[in-house]
Amino acid sequence: MTIRRPSVAGMFYPGDATACRQELARYLDKVPPGRLSGPVLGGVVPHAGWVYSGPTAAHLYARVDPAVETVVLLGAVHHWGVDAPSVYPDGAWRSPLGDCLVDGELADALISSPDSVVGSSREAHAHEHSIEVQVPFVQYLAPEARILPLAVPPSRLALTAGQQLARAILGLNRRAVMIASSDLTHYGPRYGIAPVGVGEAGLAWTHENDARLLELAAEMAADGVMAEAQAHHNACGPGAVAAAIQAAAGLGATEGRLLHYTTSHEVLPQGPPTDLVGYGAIIYY
């Protein structure tokens, strides 16, 4: 069996099982209870190091049904060479919590359709962290679930991939949830985006820039998310978000809700705001 080994364990999140479990429990215990009018079919979470993004991501994961059969993890693409939606086709992903099996049957159903825009590529996932940091959350909350890792670059193919994903899930009658992994605005001199300089003005600008993207994502406007991110650089995984919206809608989701928003500066302030990243959690049901 092919094993995708972790590349950022011990850096983005703890490298041993006990520390992972303790940290996940701490994040999840702080999530306030809430009710939804239907089952959770998808959502959006961030993917920075857990110390920054974990509390936000927990707001979505706390609402995922532990009996889900497959968690589709749609990832941002941070590396060159991934030009089309690419699924990790089989085997397992290893984390400090053990091996999490890939839903190979669903992967095959997705890529084998004659009109599929999704390809099979282990290489697309070799060093990408956006999906990896989600795997221990899945293992902790839904230990029997399989995953389907799907890297989604920001192109028009993302919308079609989401539609085809929903069809494949319905064809296999899978109980599945779509989780897109994307951070938001990267603001500051380090990132080359600082139109109002640093300090409180930069933090306020980031809030406003993120708010537009989050509103579109919560409205399940997949086309709008793609256009907004291209125009204002307020998501690093807009393809993943758009595909998750399309797939969740295809499974029956009709509503989205912003559960939590913050920035790296507000999580761990280190002097005045300078370089910072936005994080949001959205749910589709």
Side-chain angles (χ1 to χ4, degrees):
M1 182 171 66
T2 303
I3 304 292
R4 193 276 190 187
R5 300 179 183 276
S7 61
V8 294
M11 295 181 288
F12 277 55
Y13 60 96
D16 69 271
T18 298
C20 267
R21 292 183 181 279
Q22 290 175 343
E23 199 159 330
L24 290 167
R26 186 166 66 251
Y27 298 146
L28 292 161
D29 285 347
K30 293 181 180 178
V31 176
R35 291 189 177 185
L36 300 171
S37 59
V40 176
L41 296 172
V44 179
V45 293
H47 56 234
W50 280 6
V51 67
Y52 290 104
S53 70
T56 296
H59 280 73
L60 170 64
Y61 283 109
R63 292 167 169 83
V64 171
D65 183 355
V68 65
E69 293 176 314
T70 300
V71 179
V72 181
L73 296 173
L74 303 105
V77 174
H78 293 94
H79 302 278
W80 293 106
V82 185
D83 300 321
S86 301
V87 71
Y88 194 95
D90 53 26
W93 280 41
R94 181 162 295 167
S95 87
L97 300 185
D99 291 347
C100 188
L101 295 176
V102 172
D103 189 339
E105 186 180 16
L106 179 55
D108 185 64
L110 179 59
I111 64 181
S112 63
S113 174
D115 62 344
S116 179
V117 300
V118 179
S120 171
S121 174
R122 292 184 179 87
E123 292 75 19
H125 298 268
H127 305 292
E128 176 59 58
H129 68 274
S130 64
I131 290 177
E132 179 182 330
V133 300
Q134 314 301 336
V135 174
F137 274 96
V138 176
Q139 292 172 295
Y140 184 81
L141 288 162
E144 300 301 317
R146 298 191 176 212
I147 58 170
L148 184 68
L150 180 58
V152 189
S155 76
R156 295 293 304 176
L157 294 179
L159 303 176
T160 305
Q163 295 165 352
Q164 294 177 345
L165 177 59
R167 289 203 299 267
I169 290 168
L170 292 171
L172 293 175
N173 197 29
R174 281 287 192 276
R175 295 196 308 276
V177 61
M178 320 292 113
I179 298 182
S181 175
S182 179
D183 291 343
L184 302 173
T185 300
H186 291 54
Y187 186 91
R190 175 182 176 186
Y191 303 112
I193 299 177
V196 296
V198 298
E200 293 298 328
L203 179 62
W205 190 95
T206 300
H207 286 175
E208 294 173 4
N209 203 46
D210 286 341
R212 292 192 306 273
L213 189 287
L214 291 168
E215 182 177 5
L216 289 164
E219 291 174 350
M220 302 184 68
D223 275 317
V225 165
M226 295 285 287
E228 171 65 26
Q230 183 177 19
H232 298 108
H233 307 289
N234 43 11
C236 61
V241 176
I245 290 170
Q246 295 289 82
L251 296 178
T254 58
E255 295 186 50
R257 180 190 302 175
L258 177 63
L259 299 174
H260 190 259
Y261 171 73
T262 190
T263 67
S264 56
H265 170 76
E266 288 155 303
V267 175
L268 283 177
Q270 298 177 359
T274 53
D275 300 298
L276 54 103
V277 179
Y279 310 126
I282 294 173
I283 200 162
Y284 301 121
Y285 58 100

